[in-house]
Amino acid sequence: MLLVGLPSPVQSAPFQPKNVEEAFEVFDSGELTDSETIKVTLNYLKKNISVEDTENYLKLQTVICWNDFDLTDNKAIEAAIEFVNLKLASKQITKSTETATDLRLCRAYMHQIIGKVELALKEYNDVVHQAYLIESPRLIADSRSLRGAMYSFQGNFAGALEDFIAAQHLYESLNLKVWAQYNLTELATSYRRFGDPQTAIIYFRQLEIQFSKQGDNDTANLMKTEIAYALEELGENSAALEKYLQSYHYWKNKSDDIASAYQAINIAGILIKLDRVAEAEEYLAEATQIINASDGASYSFMRLFQAQAALHHHEMEKAHAYLKEAETAFTKIKNTRGLEQLYLVQSEAFISQQNWQQAVAALQDYIANHQALDATRQSNHTTEMRTRFNTEKVERENKQLLEIQKIKENELVILNQNKYLQLAVSILSGIIMVFLSVISYKQSKKSKLLSVLASTDHLTQLPNRRSTYFKGEAYFKSKESTDHPLSLILFDADHFKKVNDQLGHDIGDKALVALANISNTLMRKQDLVGRVGGEEFLIILPNTSAEQTLSIAQRLVTKIESSNFDGIAPNFKLTISAGIATQTDDDDGFNMLLKRADKALYNAKAAGRNCAILSDQNTL
């Protein structure tokens, strides 16, 4: 794996590998990072590994993908993607699941760099899933660290923190100090983006010292930039400017035009905040010579700051042109935080033109974005707190992965030793024992997986019709008295056929998943929500009176009607109709209770939909 967005330390002396194994070890550790030395070492591996040397040849392909392409050149990145595509078409590569998975991870990262974030995220998710299936701790750590960095940039801090914490424990357990250090850097960045810049600054200052001691001045300088970001978020603009300038001059002295252009944009943003627009424009002019639309975040913020400068000079046509370009760039990379700033500047531009209608529209966009971010931050805060206190579970799961990894390594050692005939008997016994253990373990996992699949709806991950009815029958039979009744809520989406016909089945599927998630969130631990038809759901509520059930159902109806489904489709709305039935002595079976709930659902639809109706036999 390659470092994400971070330059690497310069080697004090050129590395000369003694053999192929040592070369691979240094690549894996992350210690070999000087570009020229990487090139020399990679050429050494290419010259000394043949296709017939299958094990080393497979390792070499992943090393090439991560290290042999210039990540500042889009053409080189496209070449890297084509390299992976070509290798994944090879039977020799696909026979090694671990090699194929690592190559797919490399391809996902390349997609991310060139701005294909949705494609990258989809492949990251697939790779994480596959890494767990093949029980590879290193691949799990690498894929979750990379996915966490993308989550963090997009504003999904809950997902980012969970990924980074899991990766951190694995890197530390595997004694991969360099990767653990870089992962910690990303974790600190997430705390800053999450809204905890004070904690982030503490981490970044520690990391700056560590990188400096290691001679990694490039990354130590990047820590200055991260500290500047955090200071800026704290409103300490003068202190932030000082850090940005230090970083800018560092890259200037190294003649790194791209890195200095990035810092020029950061400096311009701070200068505008300090009302030093003329100075800001000088830095923006410099950045414009280097930065283009393919540079994603840097380009979008550059255009935003240029719009602010134009607005300062009342050059309204130019300001709106810059804002339009910035909005397109922010939207493409899904940067909600950037869009929030943009809409506020856009409203200021329209206000200065006394275009009140457009100003209000821009403010409404700003408020909607701000509210969405607030909701995300609140949700993320809850998840982040849970994640902080869930480290014991993470450690336990990672420990199990590492133990499995050790078993695999021991198996490999045993297989190699099997070449020596004098140890054949003892080695054969060990192989048989390990083989039987692995088969038993895999069969157990497969049986559990098949059991879950047989009782789970593949789309919503809720219990399916068969499982839901089976549990409903069990609850019905276990009822002891009318003081502890069993109640049902049967509901479905109103006019759902129109959703599929007009918007497509993909939108329909997303709507069903949203209904499942909302229903599960509102229910208690003892309740069960199942999908029993196309758009039909059944909620089983043990020990719940008719009055309580009606209240729960009405709350569910109201919650779904008021929910924001813009993530599914713009201005998308959804309502449900619900029928309620509570067990009585006259019910001779679960089917009768279910039929009463179905009749009540029919009455709800007849009453105009978007409501909950109680069965006639349960009239309060």
Side-chain angles (χ1 to χ4, degrees):
M1 190 187 86
L2 201 66
L3 301 180
V4 185
L6 293 173
S8 305
V10 177
Q11 301 292 310
S12 56
F15 173 70
Q16 296 293 334
K18 298 176 182 176
N19 49 50
V20 167
E21 289 72 21
E22 185 182 31
F24 277 131
E25 285 176 6
V26 183
F27 271 121
D28 287 342
S29 69
E31 295 172 2
L32 185 61
T33 50
D34 172 65
S35 58
E36 186 59 33
T37 311
I38 286 175
K39 184 178 180 181
V40 170
T41 310
L42 193 53
N43 286 335
Y44 170 85
L45 287 173
K46 290 177 180 179
K47 290 177 181 178
N48 289 276
I49 296 175
S50 65
V51 178
E52 290 73 23
D53 184 2
T54 303
E55 182 179 347
N56 286 326
Y57 176 78
L58 292 173
K59 289 182 182 178
L60 176 60
Q61 305 317 302
T62 60
V63 171
I64 290 173
C65 186
W66 288 111
N67 298 277
D68 204 22
F69 298 93
D70 182 359
L71 300 186
T72 64
D73 182 350
N74 282 354
K75 289 185 179 179
I77 295 171
E78 293 288 355
I81 294 171
E82 184 58 34
F83 170 82
V84 174
N85 294 338
L86 183 65
K87 293 299 175 181
L88 290 178
S90 162
K91 290 183 179 180
Q92 186 177 16
I93 298 296
T94 54
K95 284 181 181 179
S96 172
T97 308
E98 186 152 359
T99 301
T101 304
D102 201 350
L103 285 170
R104 289 182 62 200
L105 178 61
C106 179
R107 182 172 65 186
Y109 180 55
M110 299 300 172
H111 281 143
Q112 178 185 346
I113 294 175
I114 59 176
K116 297 180 180 179
V117 291
E118 291 184 0
L119 183 59
L121 183 57
K122 181 181 183 301
E123 191 140 46
Y124 280 149
N125 291 336
D126 291 342
V127 170
V128 170
H129 176 71
Q130 187 63 38
Y132 274 101
L133 286 181
I134 64 177
E135 297 162 347
S136 171
R138 177 61 192 271
L139 269 176
I140 292 170
D142 288 346
S143 57
R144 295 199 71 170
S145 182
L146 285 168
R147 186 177 69 176
M150 174 175 278
Y151 278 155
S152 177
F153 179 74
Q154 291 182 336
N156 181 1
F157 305 117
L161 288 169
E162 288 184 359
D163 275 346
F164 286 140
I165 289 174
Q168 192 68 24
H169 283 290
L170 284 171
Y171 282 139
E172 290 174 358
S173 299
L174 293 168
N175 199 31
L176 296 169
K177 296 179 182 179
V178 173
W179 302 112
Q181 199 170 36
Y182 287 126
N183 186 76
L184 183 61
T185 303
E186 294 289 356
L187 180 58
T189 302
S190 290
Y191 276 116
R192 175 181 63 75
R193 290 171 175 164
F194 178 74
D196 187 2
Q198 293 92 341
T199 300
I201 288 173
I202 293 171
Y203 280 126
F204 286 133
R205 282 177 175 159
Q206 292 173 354
L207 287 163
E208 182 184 0
I209 294 171
Q210 291 175 18
F211 285 123
S212 295
K213 288 181 178 178
Q214 294 166 7
D216 185 357
N217 296 321
D218 284 3
T219 309
N221 185 62
L222 276 180
M223 294 305 98
K224 283 188 174 68
T225 302
E226 292 293 347
I227 293 170
Y229 288 146
L231 290 169
E232 187 174 352
E233 290 178 10
L234 287 170
E236 299 179 20
N237 294 326
S238 296
L241 177 60
E242 182 181 349
K243 288 289 183 182
Y244 283 138
L245 286 169
Q246 289 174 5
S247 181
Y248 170 79
H249 291 302
Y250 175 86
W251 296 118
K252 275 290 185 182
N253 290 335
K254 291 196 68 172
S255 299
D256 190 327
D257 293 336
I258 295 177
S260 58
Y262 291 158
Q263 293 307 319
I265 294 170
N266 292 329
I267 292 168
I270 283 288
L271 288 171
I272 288 172
K273 287 183 179 180
L274 294 171
D275 201 27
R276 293 160 61 179
V277 179
E279 295 175 65
E281 288 177 309
E282 293 178 10
Y283 285 100
L284 289 171
E286 177 185 335
T288 305
Q289 303 301 315
I290 305 296
I291 305 300
N292 55 52
S294 65
D295 290 308
S298 298
Y299 176 80
S300 54
F301 277 106
M302 180 180 74
R303 289 305 192 213
L304 176 60
F305 297 152
Q306 286 175 318
Q308 288 179 284
L311 180 59
H312 177 80
H313 295 301
H314 301 289
E315 297 173 343
M316 306 313 299
E317 186 176 343
K318 186 182 293 186
H320 284 298
Y322 284 141
L323 285 170
K324 185 176 181 180
E325 291 183 29
E327 184 176 15
T328 300
F330 280 130
T331 302
K332 181 179 179 181
I333 61 177
K334 297 184 180 297
N335 190 329
T336 308
R337 294 177 296 121
L339 284 171
E340 181 184 29
Q341 295 179 45
L342 181 142
Y343 290 135
L344 195 58
V345 175
Q346 195 174 61
S347 70
E348 292 174 4
F350 285 125
I351 288 171
S352 68
Q353 293 176 297
Q354 297 186 353
N355 186 340
W356 310 118
Q357 185 176 358
Q358 292 282 25
V360 169
L363 279 173
Q364 287 174 337
D365 287 337
Y366 166 75
I367 292 169
N369 253 46
H370 190 75
Q371 288 176 339
L373 281 171
D374 279 348
T376 301
R377 288 173 185 133
Q378 183 60 38
S379 172
N380 288 338
H381 181 67
T382 302
T383 306
E384 188 260 355
M385 292 302 294
R386 184 189 73 231
T387 304
R388 287 188 182 185
F389 292 102
N390 201 27
T391 54
E392 183 179 341
K393 179 184 176 184
V394 173
E395 289 178 355
R396 185 169 62 252
E397 291 175 348
N398 288 344
K399 185 178 180 181
Q400 291 172 348
L401 282 167
L402 293 169
E403 288 174 351
I404 292 170
Q405 181 72 9
K406 288 180 180 178
I407 291 174
K408 290 182 177 180
E409 291 172 357
N410 290 337
E411 290 175 19
L412 183 60
V413 171
I414 292 173
L415 288 171
N416 288 332
Q417 290 175 342
N418 194 41
K419 297 176 183 177
Y420 302 97
L421 295 178
Q422 65 270 28
L423 299 178
V425 175
S426 59
I427 292 174
L428 183 60
S429 299
I431 290 173
I432 292 172
M433 291 180 64
V434 173
F435 180 76
L436 290 176
S437 298
V438 172
I439 291 296
S440 175
Y441 175 72
K442 295 292 185 183
Q443 284 297 110
S444 174
K445 283 183 65 177
K446 185 176 180 180
S447 297
K448 290 179 181 178
L449 178 60
L450 290 174
S451 175
V452 170
L453 290 175
S455 62
T456 302
D457 173 59
H458 74 282
L459 175 64
T460 63
Q461 298 302 302
L462 294 177
N464 59 19
R465 179 189 184 95
R466 177 183 176 186
S467 175
T468 304
Y469 284 2
F470 178 83
K471 291 178 181 178
E473 290 278 3
Y475 279 126
F476 186 94
K477 292 175 182 177
S478 67
K479 171 185 171 288
E480 297 178 358
S481 70
T482 54
D483 293 331
H484 299 84
L486 172 67
S487 293
L488 304 180
I489 300 174
L490 185 64
F491 74 92
D492 67 9
D494 295 329
H495 304 297
F496 194 74
K497 187 175 184 299
K498 291 182 180 179
V499 175
N500 283 331
D501 291 345
Q502 297 174 7
L503 299 178
H505 288 278
D506 182 55
I507 297 298
D509 287 349
K510 290 179 180 179
L512 291 175
V513 172
L515 285 179
N517 292 338
I518 293 172
S519 303
N520 253 336
T521 301
L522 289 180
M523 295 307 120
R524 305 162 301 181
K525 287 184 179 180
Q526 67 266 32
D527 302 332
L528 182 141
V529 181
R531 183 187 179 197
V532 295
E535 68 267 22
E536 195 169 77
F537 298 80
L538 178 64
I539 304 175
I540 299 174
L541 302 99
N543 304 328
T544 309
S545 67
E547 183 178 5
Q548 292 171 324
T549 307
L550 178 60
S551 176
I552 292 171
Q554 289 172 336
R555 189 162 64 247
L556 177 61
V557 169
T558 301
K559 175 65 176 177
I560 290 172
E561 181 188 20
S562 62
S563 291
N564 184 347
F565 296 104
D566 286 348
I568 296 176
N571 302 316
F572 183 78
K573 295 295 181 184
L574 200 62
T575 62
I576 63 167
S577 300
I580 302 151
T582 300
Q583 187 177 359
T584 67
D585 291 336
D586 293 333
D587 295 321
D588 59 2
F590 177 75
N591 283 340
M592 179 173 286
L593 179 61
L594 187 60
K595 286 179 180 178
R596 291 202 292 109
D598 186 63
K599 184 177 180 182
L601 171 58
Y602 176 84
N603 292 338
K605 289 186 175 296
R609 294 184 168 85
N610 193 25
C611 64
I613 299 292
L614 192 64
S615 170
D616 293 338
Q617 286 90 326
N618 299 126
T619 303
L620 300 175

